[in-house]
DNA sequence: TCAATTGTGGTAGAATATTGCCACAATATT
DNA sequence: AATATTGTGGCAATATTCTACCACAATTGA
């Protein structure tokens, strides 16, 4: 499949995640604790280095007290 | 983590996917062709048997010509 | 009736995410 | 100055998805 598009999607998701985290004044380690994830993983996710599973999305949403769909609420053009 | 919640999340996503697919009058095999996925995989996803990656979500969204976030637009309570 | 389509279930190998840990430079705090 | 915190990167082991098949019962259509 389109590798750039996938890469871009991961990056967009990461940026969105960062937005939520920073807005709540959380560090990687603080969010990690709430999510039951390792802090280094969150770093990689925010940088778009990982193609995470939706179960992990759920973890993140829980930690941020947000609905999962909010983490996908960013502008994204499917065809380019 | 909460295994039931994760399971429920996958199932909800699957149902949402089914909604979109059926609304467009597509069979598993037809959607699979558009998504560059195997039809048996889509069956498993709709039944909530797989914890898919967001890259796969993107594939499905492309095939359905929908924004990825729409596939997560279902009611879901984080605490229960 | 015969052929095609559909949803479902299984399998096996390759690829990738997850988990848990460590270490370090840069920055912030006391 | 000394200490704590933060973001980042790497690593190994385990778990899971992904990919590409095949097969079959049930339904649909000609």
């Amino acid at each position: 499949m389109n590798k750039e598009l996938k890469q871009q999607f991961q990056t967009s998701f990461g940026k969105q995640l960062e937005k939520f985290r920073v807005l709540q004044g959380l560090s990687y380690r603080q969010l990690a604790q709430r999510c039951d994830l390792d802090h280094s993983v969150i770093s990689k996710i925010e940088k778009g280095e990982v193609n995470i599973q939706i179960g992990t999305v759920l973890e993140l949403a829980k930690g941020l007290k947000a609905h999962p769909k909010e983490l996908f609420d960013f502008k994204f053009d499917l065809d380019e």
Side-chain angles (χ1 to χ4, degrees), chain A:
Chain A
M1 90 158 202
N2 194 333
K3 213 145 175 25
E4 299 83 35
L5 195 68
K6 181 176 157 193
Q7 186 51 246
Q8 186 190 331
F9 187 57
Q10 288 181 195
T11 304
S12 296
F13 180 87
K15 286 208 169 64
Q16 181 78 352
L17 178 63
E18 184 177 23
K19 230 182 253 177
F20 272 76
R21 178 180 60 85
V22 171
L23 220 63
Q24 298 186 23
L26 299 173
S27 70
Y28 284 170
R29 285 172 175 81
Q30 288 172 330
L31 178 57
Q33 198 171 6
R34 296 190 184 187
C35 293
D36 205 34
L37 291 173
D38 192 81
H39 66 96
S40 63
V41 174
I42 298 188
S43 165
K44 286 155 195 164
I45 296 173
E46 285 197 3
K47 296 175 70 184
E49 290 177 359
V50 204
N51 183 12
I52 60 171
Q53 292 157 203
I54 64 176
T56 308
V57 173
L58 180 60
E59 289 280 13
L60 293 168
K62 264 181 28 188
L64 292 168
K65 300 184 201 329
H67 189 291
K69 74 180 166 191
E70 295 185 75
L71 296 180
F72 289 97
D73 193 14
F74 47 81
K75 206 172 85 58
F76 191 75
D77 207 351
L78 283 172
D79 349 87
E80 44 179 291

